[in-house]
Amino acid sequence: MKPAAIHAFFTTLRDANPQPQTELEYTSVFELLAAVLLSAQATDVGVNKATRRLFVVANTPQKILALGLDGLESYIKTIGLFRSKARHLLETCRILVELHGGEVPRTREALEALPGVGRKTANVVLNVAFGQPTMAVDTHIFRVSNRTGLAPGKTTLAVEQQLMKRVPPEFAVDSHHWLILHGRYVCLARKPQCHRCAVSAWCDFKPKTLA
């Protein structure tokens, strides 16, 4: 995909959705961090169902710690890998309280030092909470970037690096939301919905499914 096509690609996505948002539900930076940590290999819908119950009673690191492992697990047991996620979240809360005054840090280094927080999770928090132009490459962004020719790469890191180079600055902050939503609802894994794709004109996917 050539630079002119990339600009048109994102202009079209922006025009259709000027203020894209994450589909995870949260009301604070800590709730966002917790929700993203819990969302690994799980759907946003499933995470939201659990956190609606959890955040009513425990929406700070201190309150999560007060629940203890068994208490936390009882709220998130419907989420895949809930036992390991509960341990990671509790340990993350302990570190936030002991090292960061109960606040979520604003640096990649500090975020990635938290248990259960990898590069993708850190990118989401840095972008959504703090407005940094990061690229949280999940399966949807990886697929869309490769399929369309926007930012081909064999690994998520390679795709992220390509996106950081190729996405025009004016679209950088919101671009990962547009790509996630496009992959989730239009550029599907098994059969992309090319017949209703607003950006198909700039897509390099040759076997477009127009029917």
Side-chain angles (χ1 to χ4, degrees):
M1 192 183 296
K2 296 181 179 179
I6 292 175
H7 194 277
F9 180 93
F10 281 108
T11 296
T12 302
L13 293 178
R14 181 182 61 188
D15 289 346
N17 186 5
Q19 296 181 312
Q21 304 291 328
T22 177
E23 294 187 326
L24 289 172
E25 297 173 0
Y26 69 98
T27 60
S28 69
V29 179
F30 173 72
E31 286 187 5
L32 174 66
L33 172 64
V36 179
L37 189 155
L38 295 173
S39 71
Q41 299 182 51
T43 65
D44 289 357
V45 172
V47 172
N48 288 338
K49 287 181 179 179
T51 56
R52 284 172 197 152
R53 296 175 57 244
L54 172 64
F55 291 157
V56 169
V57 298
N59 63 345
T60 67
Q62 296 87 345
K63 290 179 179 179
I64 294 285
L65 287 170
L67 284 179
L69 183 60
D70 290 342
L72 179 56
E73 286 184 353
S74 71
Y75 284 98
I76 66 170
K77 62 185 178 181
T78 56
I79 301 174
L81 307 174
F82 74 93
R83 289 190 173 88
S84 62
K85 290 177 181 179
R87 291 194 299 271
H88 287 154
L89 182 54
L90 278 174
E91 183 62 13
T92 282
C93 289
R94 184 190 65 78
I95 293 172
L96 290 178
V97 170
E98 293 181 358
L99 300 183
H100 303 286
E103 300 295 321
V104 177
R106 291 172 171 261
T107 68
R108 177 185 300 283
E109 182 181 20
L111 285 168
E112 291 188 18
L114 299 172
V117 177
R119 186 176 183 87
K120 185 179 75 172
T121 298
N123 279 339
V124 172
V125 174
L126 291 170
N127 178 272
V128 176
F130 303 127
Q132 295 187 26
T134 58
M135 296 289 179
V137 179
D138 67 352
T139 56
H140 298 299
I141 292 182
F142 185 82
R143 178 176 66 256
V144 171
S145 296
N146 276 285
R147 180 181 281 165
T148 63
L150 170 64
K154 294 183 178 180
T155 66
T156 55
L157 180 59
V159 169
E160 178 186 336
Q161 292 170 336
Q162 281 281 82
L163 287 169
M164 295 298 290
K165 293 178 182 178
R166 306 200 77 203
V167 175
E170 66 188 281
F171 304 114
V173 172
D174 290 325
S175 58
H176 97 271
H177 286 303
W178 289 317
L179 293 174
I180 287 173
L181 294 171
H182 192 65
R184 184 174 290 167
Y185 297 111
V186 180
C187 197
L188 307 180
R190 292 188 178 181
K191 188 175 181 180
Q193 304 293 296
C194 302
H195 63 285
R196 62 183 187 89
C197 176
V199 293
S200 62
W202 302 284
C203 171
D204 292 345
F205 184 55
K206 291 183 179 179
K208 293 179 181 179
T209 55
L210 300 179

